[in-house]
Amino acid sequence: MLRLSTDHPPRPKPRRMLATALLCIGLAQPFAGPAVAEQPSQPSPEALEDFALPAYSPESLEVIKSPNDRADYRALRLDNGLEVLLVHDPRADRASASMDVSVGSAFDPKDMPGLTHFLEHMLFLGTERYPDAADYQDYLTRHGGSHNAFTAPRDTNFYFDITPDAFEGALDRFSQFFISPQFNDEFVDRERHAVDSEYRARIRDDSRRINDATNQAMNPEHPFSGFSVGSIDTLVDGQTSLRDRLLEFYRAHYDANVMHLAVVGPQPLDELEALVRDRFEQVPDRGLKAPEIDAPMFTQGQLPAKLEVQTLADQRSLSFSFPVPDPDRFPRERPDAYLGDLLGHEGEGSLLAALRDRGWANALSAGVQGGDGKEAILGIDIELTPEGTQHQDEIQATLFAYLDMLRAQPPQRWRFDEQAALLAQQFRFAQNGSGADRAVGLTLAMSRLPLSEINVAPYRMDRFDAGVIDDYLRALTPDNLLRVYAGPEVQGESRSPWFDAPYTLSKMSQWPAARPLEGLALPGANPFIASDFSLLPVDDTRPRRLVDRPGLDLWYRGDQGFGTPRAEWRISLMSPEATRDARQQVLTELLADWLNDSLSEVLYPATLAGQSAGAYAHGRGITLSLSGWRDHQRGVLSQLVDQLREGEIDEANFARIRLDLEDELRNERQMPLYQRLGSSLAERLISPQWTTTQRLEALERIDLDDLRTFRDTWLQSLHVQALTIGNLNEDDAIAVGDMLDQRLAPRRPLDAIPELVPLAVRADMPVLRPATDRNDSGALRYLQGPDRSAESQAQLAVIGQLIQAPFYTELRTRQQLGYVVSARYMALLDAPGIAMLIQSPGQSSETLFERMDDFLDQFTPSIEALDDQALTPFKAAVRSSLLERDQSLSEMTNRQWRELSFGWTDFDRQKRLAAAVDALDAEQIKAAWQALRQAPAFDIAADPQEPDNDDAYTESETLSPLPR
């Protein structure tokens, strides 16, 4: 796939979650024949011209926005030099702000790595106007807000969102970070331990271990090669105290001229401007400029090189990295997008297709990341199979054979124009993000781009320059290559300095000769580019049932409110065979994975053209999920269904998906500890589900014939439940329902499908200790509500709002038990509960549970002193969250799909819960708290020296359902 340019590390591959996950796999060209209901056709040049982007005007102060964007924008430069963007969005139910500071970890002092990150932490812990270290967190939590920050190589970004009526108070507190932070001595010492906890919590993350080793291959003078997190060993007093170093760094690098602020909310622009001017004009103007990086990423003679790194997880990857000019220098030519699209293609003739055919690779991504303003890294990252590890030289030869094909002909204008057209279509109907993410995206863009381009830049590709593309291609040579293999069998001659990863770095005078694979070809024109973008006049207030048959029910909601000719489909193929036992659950997972895998090559261009589709397994069967333009969508769905019914499950497909599932299950031990504890909670308190060990044992006994037989049996016992929301009419929706009925012949009634059921915690349950390879200790305590009623859900949601900030302040900020500390409302399906979690590098789980007990005892008087007036803002925060409007078509669809899956066919669950919250008074909360304290708790723990009891733990198998 094409990997977009980013300054942030790539996210890890998501774990399959049976109950709720959505795995969208790219889909591509249709195969010929009657399986496709409609044959895609190329749009006319005139149709593509309708979506031409506004002219590139870097000197303009007017923000270019999508025709579908209802927001109003206003740019300001305050007298102190601070650049501000105000966004009035009438659809926003929350107000948000982000401040980006153009200094990141790349500019740490050489003798104190991690100082920038440490400074990020310290700014939250008290200012002259608000000296209490807990004030900011308490205020945001009381009003339903959230906040965070991150330190990247070139940026430090702070952000929050909150209910609009509380925005002024939050913004005032936020502004003081950049005006008068205290850097209190007490918290300087405490917070450096928090930074160290964060470092140690991630010390076994393979992505960070690989990055640490890769840094050793770079120019040591380039700041990206350093240690960015910080630890107890780097953040120390020297001749100058640590606090004084913080102050020095803050004054040397934090200044209005290197900051960019964005505020987004439903308030009028004039009101937003007044809020900003009254506060941020006080940010100091020290005449600073954003620092630049001058050192090259690699020096003469460092490349070519080969690096091998040991992973802890049972996973293997091969990466080819080439230093190239930073694509930020070519905002219109986009050579990175042109080449990334071709190198990351997954269709017939692609590099990935050739590797998959030989059983050497499962996935591939390509693109540019890690730009420093002058240079960046163009990387091709390949997920290898065990067999692929034996053929690294042939894989490299095949990559360069593909690059030679690209060099053999000049860059082609029609390919550039096709990519540009697809981007322009997306921009024409773009849907804004929500909350703080939107503000963060704006400030990051402001720090890099002309103001006019901050919305449109990701979609701009409007100046074809073959010479720029050729310059990039000239950098993609064996002599300019860093090849990185990461796998568990690597021994390593050295160890990386910060994450202790064994590695071997070899300078290559000449790469071994190898024969490339055959069958490579460049992709043809994309047949899936949509041409019908008409907006249909359909607008329902909620889904309604169009088809009600014994084996199929179809729900439809027409929508034009988001101004886009797109449609979303969720189609649950439910069977009593899905999770009858561990074997059936694994077979269901394999069938969904096979469907995705078998169509990934054939239908990949559909994803490039704006049609995403795929399948995911869950506790009642398999869901087909589609999202994209209305035009051509039916053909994609038709092919999905026909492949599920009639596609050949061959040996190569089966071997690939079986190995992938096995690796995923075995690698659960390597998950971040807090995630491992959380997944174990759901695994034990939702029925039917089966443990990782049970699924692995079942997988070992499943062969190709078993999956083929299971598909036939499974297809004969289906109930189909479908929901479509978007800009399509009733007749089109009914036609899809008829197609599903005809081709799948579902006959099972809905009540024949077993429900997923939350289980009631019992008093005698011992501590569960899931298997983990993490070195921290962890403690998760789950306090469950008495039943699944709306009243109980409302009560515990408000208690979760009340407890969240005090728990964090006491156990994270004051006691410094660890970096991962939280207490929050957690519903398992519709079963309410409070989950308290601490992950600690230095305290045992027994101690962590004791500290939880102490906190609960200390917190009880706060609940007992609660009156209705004090309760009001916490109720309002929960109510606001429940009634927040959907900000995109997919967000609306996912919400209403959840309601339908629970049988809430009035589609007013959120309103009912909000009404239940409104009806609460302080006495009811006090009673609910006392009942919660007396109810049995389910404890899940991990300690480095304690054995797990995952396989022997049988208590959850005899639990009863939680009452409704």
Side-chain angles (χ1 to χ4, degrees):
M1 68 175 182
L2 169 64
R3 184 178 64 237
L4 299 179
S5 176
T6 173
D7 280 339
H8 306 292
R11 294 181 178 179
K13 182 179 176 181
R15 177 176 180 267
R16 180 186 289 102
M17 298 296 289
L18 284 177
T20 59
L22 172 60
L23 176 62
C24 287
I25 299 297
L27 301 180
Q29 296 185 65
F31 31 84
V36 179
E38 48 182 339
Q39 183 66 30
S41 60
Q42 284 293 95
S44 67
E46 293 78 11
L48 296 182
E49 288 173 5
D50 287 344
F51 301 112
L53 298 179
Y56 183 71
S57 305
E59 304 303 321
S60 173
L61 296 180
E62 183 176 347
V63 176
I64 297 172
K65 64 178 188 176
S66 165
N68 201 38
D69 187 350
R70 301 177 189 177
D72 297 318
Y73 296 80
R74 179 184 295 172
L76 308 172
R77 182 185 289 274
L78 304 186
D79 291 343
N80 57 3
L82 178 64
E83 293 186 359
V84 180
L85 183 67
L86 312 173
V87 184
H88 159 64
D89 187 343
R91 285 190 59 89
D93 286 334
R94 299 179 72 76
S96 59
S98 168
M99 177 74 90
D100 189 77
V101 186
S102 293
V103 61
S105 58
F107 306 103
D108 282 340
K110 287 190 176 181
D111 67 333
M112 193 167 282
L115 185 61
T116 310
H117 179 216
F118 183 42
L119 174 59
E120 171 219 306
H121 278 236
M122 287 301 303
L123 290 189
F124 289 100
L125 298 177
T127 61
E128 289 182 10
R129 184 177 294 180
Y130 301 101
D132 186 345
D135 180 83
Y136 180 63
Q137 169 101 354
D138 288 347
Y139 183 88
L140 288 172
T141 303
R142 191 162 61 250
H143 297 284
S146 64
H147 72 94
N148 214 328
F150 62 84
T151 302
R154 298 167 63 195
D155 302 87
T156 307
N157 198 288
F158 304 82
Y159 55 92
F160 74 88
D161 66 3
I162 200 165
T163 54
D165 59 348
F167 182 61
E168 181 174 1
L171 193 68
D172 194 60
R173 288 163 172 79
F174 185 73
S175 68
Q176 296 303 305
F177 297 169
F178 314 103
I179 298 169
S180 60
Q182 283 191 313
F183 300 123
N184 183 291
D185 274 320
E186 175 190 3
F187 288 110
V188 167
D189 186 59
R190 289 185 183 181
E191 202 60 25
R192 75 189 189 100
H193 285 84
V195 170
D196 189 68
S197 294
E198 180 178 354
Y199 161 55
R200 296 187 186 283
R202 297 171 177 173
I203 203 166
R204 293 177 68 83
D205 288 359
D206 275 330
S207 61
R208 292 178 180 266
R209 290 160 52 85
I210 295 168
N211 185 65
D212 193 31
T214 302
N215 288 345
Q216 311 315 304
M218 294 180 64
N219 175 10
E221 295 302 312
H222 193 282
F224 284 13
S225 68
F227 176 49
S228 62
V229 183
S231 73
I232 202 73
D233 297 318
T234 68
L235 302 171
V236 295
D237 290 328
Q239 292 182 343
T240 304
S241 71
L242 180 56
R243 182 179 185 276
D244 286 344
R245 294 295 298 272
L246 275 171
L247 285 166
E248 289 174 6
F249 191 84
Y250 180 78
R251 290 165 182 160
H253 292 285
Y254 273 53
D255 149 282
N257 298 283
V258 298
M259 296 179 181
H260 297 85
L261 174 69
V263 296
V264 183
Q267 300 92 331
L269 289 174
D270 289 344
E271 181 180 337
L272 292 175
E273 180 172 347
L275 290 173
V276 166
R277 286 193 181 276
D278 287 348
R279 289 157 181 83
F280 289 90
E281 284 182 340
Q282 302 171 49
V283 176
D285 174 5
R286 300 186 176 103
L288 300 178
K289 294 183 179 179
E292 296 184 355
I293 297 172
D294 296 319
M297 289 186 169
F298 296 89
T299 58
Q300 186 71 29
Q302 284 188 296
L303 297 179
K306 179 175 72 172
L307 177 69
E308 297 178 319
V309 190
Q310 183 188 93
T311 60
L312 297 174
D314 190 13
Q315 57 187 20
R316 299 156 186 83
S317 64
L318 185 64
S319 299
F320 300 91
S321 297
F322 305 88
V324 296
D326 192 327
D328 283 356
R329 296 161 55 185
F330 309 102
R332 302 179 65 188
E333 296 85 354
R334 301 289 299 278
D336 58 316
Y338 180 91
L339 291 173
D341 181 80
L342 292 168
L343 291 167
H345 208 277
E346 299 181 15
E348 184 178 356
S350 68
L351 175 60
L352 177 60
L355 299 178
R356 279 165 51 96
D357 285 348
R358 294 298 294 269
W360 293 355
N362 291 326
L364 180 150
S365 65
V368 170
Q369 62 181 8
D372 66 8
K374 295 182 176 65
E375 289 183 289
I377 297 295
L378 191 151
I380 299 97
D381 300 327
I382 303 171
E383 180 186 310
L384 296 181
T385 64
E387 176 68 17
T389 65
Q390 307 302 314
H391 299 278
Q392 295 177 44
D393 293 330
E394 291 99 318
I395 292 171
Q396 178 171 318
T398 307
L399 167 63
F400 283 109
Y402 195 88
L403 288 168
D404 287 343
M405 278 198 315
L406 291 175
R407 296 187 185 100
Q409 54 184 296
Q412 295 169 300
R413 178 64 186 254
W414 73 265
R415 294 189 187 278
F416 183 93
D417 288 345
E418 182 179 275
Q419 290 184 52
L422 295 174
L423 290 171
Q425 289 174 3
Q426 293 177 41
F427 181 70
R428 167 60 184 84
F429 297 103
Q431 298 175 68
N432 289 321
S434 59
D437 287 348
R438 183 176 178 188
V440 170
L442 290 171
T443 55
L444 287 172
M446 291 167 69
S447 72
R448 304 281 196 276
L449 301 168
L451 188 66
S452 60
E453 290 289 297
I454 58 175
N455 282 326
V456 71
Y459 307 95
R460 186 177 292 286
M461 194 173 177
D462 63 357
R463 186 161 67 190
F464 177 70
D465 189 328
V468 171
I469 297 171
D470 281 333
D471 286 344
Y472 261 61
L473 276 171
R474 278 190 284 271
L476 308 185
T477 66
D479 289 340
N480 196 41
L481 168 65
L482 174 64
R483 187 175 102 183
V484 181
Y485 169 72
E489 75 281 5
V490 174
Q491 296 301 309
E493 298 174 354
S494 305
R495 287 186 174 268
S496 66
W498 300 106
F499 289 83
D500 198 36
Y503 73 93
T504 297
L505 177 62
S506 305
K507 178 72 173 69
M508 303 299 293
S509 58
Q510 185 173 357
W511 294 103
R515 182 185 296 275
L517 298 178
E518 297 180 351
L520 299 177
L522 297 179
N526 192 327
F528 273 95
I529 298 178
S531 56
D532 178 7
F533 295 96
S534 58
L535 200 61
L536 304 178
V538 292
D539 206 5
D540 293 309
T541 57
R542 66 177 189 178
R544 48 197 172 89
R545 183 154 45 194
L546 294 184
V547 177
D548 185 8
R549 299 170 188 165
L552 182 145
D553 54 295
L554 169 65
W555 299 77
Y556 160 86
R557 177 177 178 177
D559 178 84
Q560 62 176 336
F562 291 105
T564 178
R566 298 175 66 86
E568 301 273 339
W569 281 90
R570 305 290 184 268
I571 304 166
S572 185
L573 311 178
M574 295 183 280
S575 168
E577 302 296 318
T579 51
R580 180 163 44 83
D581 53 34
R583 174 183 170 83
Q584 300 298 98
Q585 177 170 320
V586 171
L587 284 164
T588 303
E589 293 177 77
L590 288 171
L591 185 59
D593 290 348
W594 164 78
L595 182 59
N596 291 321
D597 184 84
S598 65
L599 289 175
S600 61
E601 179 181 326
V602 180
L603 290 179
Y604 179 73
T607 287
L608 299 180
Q611 296 282 1
S612 68
Y616 64 92
H618 53 82
R620 305 178 81 187
I622 292 173
T623 288
L624 308 181
S625 175
L626 292 90
S627 174
W629 307 119
R630 178 187 66 237
D631 192 17
H632 300 323
Q633 191 175 57
R634 204 160 125 202
V636 174
L637 175 56
S638 178
Q639 182 144 350
L640 265 177
V641 172
D642 284 353
Q643 179 73 355
L644 177 62
R645 275 194 325 148
E646 301 169 353
E648 180 187 0
I649 306 178
D650 62 33
E651 187 66 52
N653 284 134
F654 177 75
R656 189 161 47 240
I657 61 172
R658 188 183 186 282
L659 178 63
D660 192 49
L661 179 57
E662 181 180 358
D663 286 348
E664 183 178 312
L665 294 173
R666 294 194 187 282
N667 287 333
E668 286 188 357
R669 298 176 62 100
Q670 295 293 335
M671 290 171 63
L673 182 57
Y674 68 93
Q675 292 182 9
R676 184 76 175 108
L677 300 180
S679 64
S680 297
L681 176 68
E683 193 175 79
R684 297 294 180 165
L685 292 186
I686 295 177
S687 177
Q689 285 207 70
W690 306 93
T691 68
T692 300
T693 299
Q694 290 169 329
R695 290 158 66 198
L696 273 170
E697 291 173 350
L699 181 62
E700 290 173 358
R701 297 191 295 271
I702 291 173
D703 60 22
L704 175 60
D705 288 338
D706 291 330
L707 183 59
R708 289 170 171 167
T709 302
F710 173 77
R711 177 179 61 174
D712 295 340
T713 303
W714 183 82
L715 285 170
Q716 294 171 16
S717 60
L718 290 182
H719 179 89
V720 175
Q721 184 171 70
L723 170 69
T724 182
I725 298 181
N727 196 242
L728 75 168
N729 59 42
E730 289 186 30
D731 290 343
D732 287 338
I734 291 173
V736 169
D738 290 341
M739 181 270 289
L740 293 170
D741 203 4
Q742 177 184 0
R743 299 187 188 180
L744 295 176
R747 295 295 178 263
R748 286 290 182 117
L750 183 58
D751 59 13
I753 309 300
E755 292 186 358
L756 294 177
V757 178
L759 303 176
V761 175
R762 202 170 53 211
D764 58 349
M765 294 177 67
V767 175
L768 171 65
R769 291 184 171 275
T772 176
D773 289 336
R774 295 288 170 155
N775 288 332
D776 282 0
S777 292
L780 187 154
R781 172 162 293 167
Y782 187 69
L783 303 176
Q784 191 177 60
D787 54 48
R788 299 156 62 185
S789 66
E791 291 73 24
S792 291
Q793 292 180 57
Q795 290 166 3
L796 266 69
V798 172
I799 288 173
Q801 197 72 30
L802 285 161
I803 199 174
Q804 178 181 332
F807 187 89
Y808 181 90
T809 299
E810 177 60 30
L811 301 179
R812 160 65 167 79
T813 305
R814 294 202 171 98
Q815 296 189 31
Q816 288 292 327
L817 292 178
Y819 175 68
V820 180
V821 176
S822 68
R824 62 188 179 92
Y825 174 71
M826 176 184 282
L828 297 178
L829 302 178
D830 57 349
I834 301 294
M836 297 179 293
L837 171 71
I838 306 173
Q839 179 177 328
S840 174
Q843 302 291 341
S844 68
S845 63
E846 182 180 5
T847 298
L848 299 179
F849 284 127
E850 288 173 355
R851 299 293 180 88
M852 288 182 189
D853 288 333
D854 292 343
F855 169 82
L856 294 174
D857 290 340
Q858 295 165 12
F859 186 65
T860 294
S862 300
I863 294 289
E864 291 173 345
L866 198 66
D867 59 28
D868 288 340
Q869 182 177 356
L871 183 63
T872 297
F874 296 96
K875 289 171 51 179
V878 174
R879 184 181 191 279
S880 175
S881 176
L882 288 168
L883 298 181
E884 190 174 330
R885 286 177 292 183
D886 302 307
Q887 297 299 310
S888 68
L889 189 62
S890 60
E891 195 174 302
M892 175 191 288
T893 304
N894 289 335
R895 176 177 60 82
Q896 300 202 311
W897 180 237
R898 285 193 298 271
E899 291 184 301
L900 181 59
S901 67
F902 281 112
W904 300 330
T905 54
D906 289 333
F907 297 97
D908 63 350
R909 183 67 174 178
Q910 303 298 90
K911 290 181 179 179
R912 291 189 181 189
L913 289 174
V917 169
D918 287 340
L920 292 175
D921 59 31
E923 293 304 316
Q924 290 172 296
I925 293 298
K926 294 175 186 178
W929 175 256
Q930 290 302 323
L932 199 64
R933 291 299 315 273
Q934 295 167 15
F938 183 29
D939 288 348
I940 307 177
D943 292 282
Q945 306 305 321
E946 291 286 338
D948 67 80
N949 62 358
D950 229 352
D951 295 343
Y953 197 94
T954 59
E955 281 74 6
S956 56
E957 296 175 8
T958 58
L959 297 179
S960 301
L962 187 69
R964 290 185 182 274

